[in-house]
Amino acid sequence: MQVLVSHLVLVLLLGLVLGATIPSFSALSRSVDRVLEDNYQSIMAATKMREAIEEDEKALALILLGRSKDATQRLDGAISLFNSGFAEAKDSINEPDEDTLVSKIDSEYKAYRVALDHVIDKSSSIENARPTYLAELAPSRKLLLQNISGLVNMNKTAMYRENDLTKRLVQTASIRSISVTGIALALAIGLTFLLARRLLSPLKLLTSKAEAIGAGNLEERIDWNRTDEFGALGKAFNSMAEKLLVERKNEQYRLQRAQKMSDQALESLYDPVIVTNSKGYITHLNKAAEALFGPSPEAPRQPIIAHLGDQLIMRAINKTLDLGESETSEEQVPLIPITVNGIDRTYRLRVTNIKSDDGKTLGAVAVMEDITHLKELDRLKTEFIGVASHEMRTPVASLLISAQLLDEGALGELTPSQKEVVALQKQDLNRLDRLMKELLDITKLQAGTSESDLRPTQCEELVEEAVSATRSVAKQKGVELSVATAPDLQPVKADRSQIERVLINLISNAIRHTRSGGHVKIRAEGGGDQVTFSVEDTGEGIPKEYLDKIFDRFVQVPGATGGGAGLGLSIAYKIVKAHGGKIWAESTLGEGSAFHFTLPTLNDAVGEKIS
């Protein structure tokens, strides 16, 4: 209603402006009409009469030239034109003395016509007509034209007068319009300002209340005793705030219930759990963790190392917080040895990053899984494999010697069929002997009893020794070997025999899986604080799904060329890892494979036990 009333007032003001200007423009219109209807019509009538006299002159000239017929037509037209102009002038008389001047024009025109007829009667020759023309017609024509010009000048003067009057009317109308418009504009601005204040004041109050609710103060309400739209809006606002308050209480109850359930679930876990914030400070320890490290620290919360005292746990949690990612690779999961009540136990530590919905790191959760029994089972399994492999080597060696003697004919000459059987026995016994050796090596590596003899070693020498050991095998199969080592490679600190074993294993595998006429390339390249060794072949390739599995024990790619028990790459993996490097494979099925491993350079290498 307020907006409607304000618009009606604005419409009234607009009507006032129009009402003040319309009379002025009406008077201006009447003045212009008067000029057009009277004075201008009189001038046009005088112009017709003047043209009629000019036609008489032309007709007289035609008579003197002997063209009487054409002259008669012009005379008749001139008479009609003059009579028409005279009639219009008589009808448009508007100015004082204009009727007297029109009467003079009428009498003068009659005298002019008499004189014109006298000249026409004597027009047989110019000599006869000249005296009459000069004596009668010329003076009468002059007087007639003067009266017609007087009529024109009289109406022009009237037009000038009307023009001045019109200018004054326009000026008066402009001043009046500007004044009325200014007054109306001032009233409109004042009305708009008052209406804006009246309308915006409740809106400002509503905005401040909404901001307060947005800030979390759901107790805010609007107290309006109004029945208009603002009153309805205030009621809806209060209803909304009430519903929000109820919903907040329900949400707090749900959160508290979920928190209690989460805490109870966390406390009931058998595995120790450590929760930290984004800065690495402990926020919670469950009961199992408190049994290992003592009660949860009270504020101010202590850093991990200050409370737990374990460097491995601290590094794992800090690494997860710094990277913002959880380490899920089995090889990256650290094992934590802890003595509990005099008993040595082993825990597998898994750290998970806690993130908000927008990806911001909030903290970390570390879960320590007790795998003491698994380690014991693994130790027993490894010990059993080692004992079994060691005990089986003697009978296998004996059988291999027996087969060798039979093949050499020590017990008599063998038939071709017998030699074929003995050759197959030797082949299987050699494979079994190699398997026993690899099982023993795996057992030693897992048990940590194989010590690394780390010494400064030239990369070129490692590559040359490995290539020399496999060159004859490659030649027999028709596979080309090539070496490409970068110049000025830094020495690596490595166990020469073990790294040569890795290279020989990778080169032998590449030769085995490359057809005759293929190519195997061995490269060594430096980069930063490590050297990368690569063995690339043009063989059959490895399916993509097996690239992450081929370094596990007893894994063989289906359909690949046989020749091993699937332990060579596992041994190579453990040796490279013990040297502080990493090993990986790349392959395209049908085009070949590439195996790469890195070793730290002399300045960065650190000797450690292979395990």
Side-chain angles (χ1 to χ4, degrees), residues 578-599:
H579 280 74
K582 62 178 182 177
I583 184 170
W584 71 97
E586 299 171 348
S587 181
T588 302
L589 196 61
E591 297 182 9
S593 305
F595 284 81
H596 313 277
F597 69 91
T598 63
L599 292 178

Side-chain angles (χ1 to χ4, degrees), residues 84-105:
S84 174
F86 181 78
E88 291 176 1
K90 192 173 182 180
D91 292 338
S92 60
I93 294 173
N94 186 52
E95 299 297 324
D97 299 330
E98 187 176 358
D99 55 344
T100 303
L101 187 59
V102 171
S103 297
K104 286 183 179 181
I105 292 173

Side-chain angles (χ1 to χ4, degrees), residues 558-586:
T561 305
L567 294 173
L569 290 178
S570 179
I571 294 173
Y573 178 84
K574 291 184 177 295
I575 291 174
V576 171
K577 182 183 175 186
H579 280 74
K582 62 178 182 177
I583 184 170
W584 71 97
E586 299 171 348

Side-chain angles (χ1 to χ4, degrees), residues 278-449:
S278 59
K279 296 181 179 180
Y281 284 72
I282 296 174
T283 59
H284 184 73
L285 298 175
N286 70 342
K287 291 181 179 180
E290 288 182 341
L292 293 179
F293 308 111
S296 298
E298 298 180 357
R301 294 162 177 169
Q302 297 177 348
I304 300 169
I305 190 62
H307 189 81
L308 306 182
D310 193 292
Q311 292 284 349
L312 290 177
I313 299 176
M314 181 192 70
R315 283 201 297 266
I317 293 177
N318 288 338
K319 184 177 181 181
T320 300
L321 292 174
D322 293 340
L323 296 177
E325 298 178 357
S326 303
E327 294 182 347
T328 57
S329 173
E330 198 66 33
E331 294 296 332
Q332 295 176 332
V333 176
L335 301 181
I336 311 298
I338 297 178
T339 301
V340 182
N341 298 325
I343 301 174
D344 293 333
R345 308 195 69 83
T346 302
Y347 292 87
R348 179 162 51 196
L349 179 65
R350 294 185 181 276
V351 184
T352 303
N353 192 30
I354 304 175
K355 291 186 177 181
S356 60
D357 293 338
D358 58 358
K360 184 179 179 180
T361 298
L362 302 178
V365 176
V367 180
M368 300 174 63
E369 180 186 1
D370 190 349
I371 59 169
T372 305
H373 62 292
L374 297 178
K375 291 288 289 184
E376 182 63 20
L377 289 175
D378 189 62
R379 185 188 66 79
L380 293 174
K381 177 194 67 175
T382 302
E383 184 176 331
F384 170 76
I385 293 174
V387 173
S389 301
H390 185 272
E391 293 300 326
M392 288 179 64
R393 288 197 66 186
T394 300
V396 169
S398 177
L399 289 172
L400 189 57
I401 292 172
S402 299
Q404 184 70 29
L405 292 174
L406 287 173
D407 188 44
E408 293 176 355
L411 301 179
E413 193 66 29
L414 300 178
T415 65
S417 299
Q418 291 172 336
K419 285 187 175 181
E420 184 177 353
V421 172
V422 171
L424 291 174
Q425 288 178 346
K426 286 175 59 180
Q427 184 178 350
D428 289 339
L429 289 169
N430 281 323
R431 185 181 295 110
L432 187 58
D433 183 61
R434 187 165 58 252
L435 175 60
M436 295 300 104
K437 292 179 180 178
E438 290 179 348
L439 284 173
L440 284 173
D441 290 340
I442 285 287
T443 302
K444 292 178 181 179
L445 290 172
Q446 289 184 334
T449 58

